Amino acid sequence: MAEPIPFHRPDIGAEELEAVTAVLESGWLTTGPRTRKFEERFAELVGVPHAVALNSATAALHLSLAAAGIGPGDEVIVPTMTFAATAEVVTAVGAKVVLADCDPSTLNLRAQDVRDHLTSRTAAVMPVHYAGLPCDMDPILELAGEHDLHVFDDAAHAFPAECPTGHVGSLATATSFSFYATKTITTGEGGMLTTSDEELASRARMLSLHGLSRDAWRRYDGRSPWDYDIVAPGFKYNLTDIAAAIGLAQLDKAELLRDQRRDLALRYLDELSGVTGITPLAGYETAGHAYHLFVVRVARDVRSRDEVAEDLRDADIGISVHFKPLHLHPLYRDDHASEAFPNATDAFHEILSLPLFPSMTMAQQDRVITELAAAMEAT
Ligand SMILES: *Cc1c(COP(=O)(O)O)cnc(C)c1O
């Protein structure tokens, strides 16, 4: 039996090991100088004045809404084709989740999907750059401008990624990135909020650490007074210097890792073009894609996605499905009719995410392709 092929494998090398060892030996483990440096370098790469390091993208999404004052009485438009996190933070601040459909070929939120759900209470929209393909932001930003909406984009899949008008992370009211173990760069767990709004950034920073008026790490550096004020009911969302040290090492190679994923994705496109019933999502040849996920559609009339997924698992190949749309989950089902989201509902029965990670070898990729082709021919 061939070696198992994982769905994902993080790219952790000597740089990360050395960086973590240095933090452990430094005597300062939590939020401190490395976190500040990680924020500065990240902000520079994205081309945005403010970056706030946090312990997850979920925390970044939550603080974006909280810092902007989204709350009870507000409606927030969220694509149904996303992970739990994008919507749960809306509920957490007391606002109402309003789900929206997506483009059938890319599964990204479009301005027209947003327009369908606008009411006088709509306060914000949360585009998700699905699989790493940036949403078409200009029409969304234009619509948001016309209706005075905040745009909080979920860029958990999209670092590094570029729109024609700028890096993802520099275009919206605030953007949330994820450094979860399977994302394009990782700190184990971690996240980043970026924004051009200085007030939003400082409010998010304050809320990230118990609503204290002063960063705890400055309280202990010997140069600042011991005193602090609690000015708001906050959270415990700060990133550790251990994680930030890994993040700094990952930032150095983020573009190289993206290029490696792109080469593999383009090779998948080529090699899968002859496999009957397999159609990759659109957008993989678009400049600015982060290539986080390689997603194909499995034609139902050839073979069911679930059977294909099972065959690949039996062949020890890691696969996944991104995502079961929110409107099909019990929490959201009652408030949202399934017919309201025809594109997401239709896609859900066919989508399959194939292994894609920088250190994947061509031999591993060939085996995925061979097994997928065999699964499509089996009956
Ligand atoms: C992974 C993911 C998140 C959550 O990221 P965490 O860092 O684990 O909080 C949010 N949105 C999407 C679309 C994701 O895939």
Side-chain angles (χ1 to χ4, degrees), residues 56-66 70 75-100 107-109 124-131 135 150-158 174-178 183 322-327 329 331-332 336:
S56 69
T58 308
L61 290 163
H62 189 184
L63 291 187
S64 303
L65 299 176
I70 305 293
E75 292 179 0
V76 179
I77 297 174
V78 175
T80 187
M81 189 51 90
T82 189
F83 185 56
T86 325
E88 74 196 2
V89 298
V90 175
T91 308
V93 298
K96 183 180 169 203
V97 176
V98 176
L99 298 179
L107 309 190
N108 266 343
L109 183 76
V125 51
M126 301 178 79
V128 175
H129 308 291
Y130 179 90
C135 290
H150 290 298
V151 178
F152 301 112
D153 53 342
D154 177 339
H157 298 182
T175 304
S176 299
F177 295 91
S178 176
K183 300 293 159 79
H322 299 85
F323 297 94
K324 179 174 168 181
L326 296 179
H327 71 272
H329 289 273
L331 178 62
Y332 299 103
H336 296 88

Side-chain angles (χ1 to χ4, degrees), residues 219-231:
R219 282 197 287 135
Y220 295 115
D221 73 358
R223 281 175 280 128
S224 306
W226 60 268
D227 194 20
Y228 62 85
D229 289 316
I230 303 166
V231 297

Side-chain angles (χ1 to χ4, degrees), residues 11-332:
D11 195 281
I12 298 293
E15 305 79 11
E16 285 80 1
L17 294 177
E18 281 163 27
V20 168
T21 303
V23 183
L24 295 177
E25 288 173 348
S26 76
W28 188 269
L29 305 186
T30 188
T31 310
R34 284 165 182 89
T35 305
R36 293 295 166 255
K37 196 165 166 209
F38 186 34
E39 293 175 338
E40 283 163 22
R41 292 267 316 281
F42 198 90
E44 209 173 292
L45 285 173
V46 165
V48 71
H50 310 286
V52 181
L54 300 162
N55 57 20
S56 69
T58 308
L61 290 163
H62 189 184
L63 291 187
S64 303
L65 299 176
I70 305 293
D74 292 330
E75 292 179 0
V76 179
I77 297 174
V78 175
T80 187
M81 189 51 90
T82 189
F83 185 56
T86 325
E88 74 196 2
V89 298
V90 175
T91 308
V93 298
K96 183 180 169 203
V97 176
V98 176
L99 298 179
D101 206 5
C102 57
D103 183 295
S105 64
T106 64
L107 309 190
N108 266 343
L109 183 76
R110 301 164 298 184
Q112 69 199 75
D113 302 311
V114 176
R115 200 176 287 114
D116 289 345
H117 299 282
L118 288 174
T119 75
S120 59
R121 284 189 291 277
T122 310
V125 51
M126 301 178 79
V128 175
H129 308 291
Y130 179 90
L133 175 70
C135 290
D136 189 4
M137 288 298 276
D138 279 356
I140 295 175
L141 292 167
E142 197 177 313
L143 186 68
E146 285 165 19
H147 295 269
D148 206 18
L149 314 178
H150 290 298
V151 178
F152 301 112
D153 53 342
D154 177 339
H157 298 182
F159 181 80
E162 293 97 45
C163 289
T165 48
H167 291 275
V168 169
S170 68
L171 303 169
T173 310
T175 304
S176 299
F177 295 91
S178 176
F179 312 130
Y180 178 67
T182 60
K183 300 293 159 79
T184 59
I185 67 167
T186 185
T187 61
E189 299 278 358
M192 192 75 78
L193 182 161
T194 62
T195 181
S196 300
D197 182 334
E198 186 174 355
E199 203 182 310
L200 190 147
S202 66
R203 222 180 133 66
R205 194 181 291 288
M206 177 270 290
L207 290 171
S208 76
L209 203 60
H210 305 298
L212 304 189
S213 61
R214 166 185 297 282
D215 296 334
W217 73 279
R218 275 200 259 134
R219 282 197 287 135
Y220 295 115
D221 73 358
R223 281 175 280 128
S224 306
W226 60 268
D227 194 20
Y228 62 85
D229 289 316
I230 303 166
V231 297
F235 306 95
K236 184 63 167 68
Y237 279 168
N238 57 303
L239 190 75
T240 68
D241 260 23
I242 305 170
I246 303 172
L248 282 164
Q250 294 267 295
L251 275 190
D252 285 338
K253 52 190 179 187
E255 296 209 345
L256 173 70
L257 299 179
R258 190 262 324 272
D259 291 349
Q260 291 171 333
R261 292 190 304 273
R262 179 179 55 209
D263 290 348
L264 289 162
L266 296 181
R267 192 161 176 272
Y268 264 138
L269 280 190
D270 264 359
E271 301 285 326
L272 290 174
S273 63
V275 178
T276 308
I278 292 296
T279 312
L281 287 193
Y284 285 111
E285 284 163 307
T286 306
H289 203 305
Y291 299 98
H292 171 49
L293 299 174
F294 193 83
V295 179
V296 299
R297 290 181 74 139
V298 179
R300 274 173 267 210
D301 51 350
V302 180
R303 198 137 188 256
S304 87
R305 187 270 320 278
D306 289 343
E307 287 170 346
V308 171
E310 207 170 302
D311 282 6
L312 291 177
R313 267 198 304 267
D314 287 347
D316 269 334
I317 291 171
I319 51 88
S320 192
V321 172
H322 299 85
F323 297 94
K324 179 174 168 181
L326 296 179
H327 71 272
L328 298 180
H329 289 273
L331 178 62
Y332 299 103

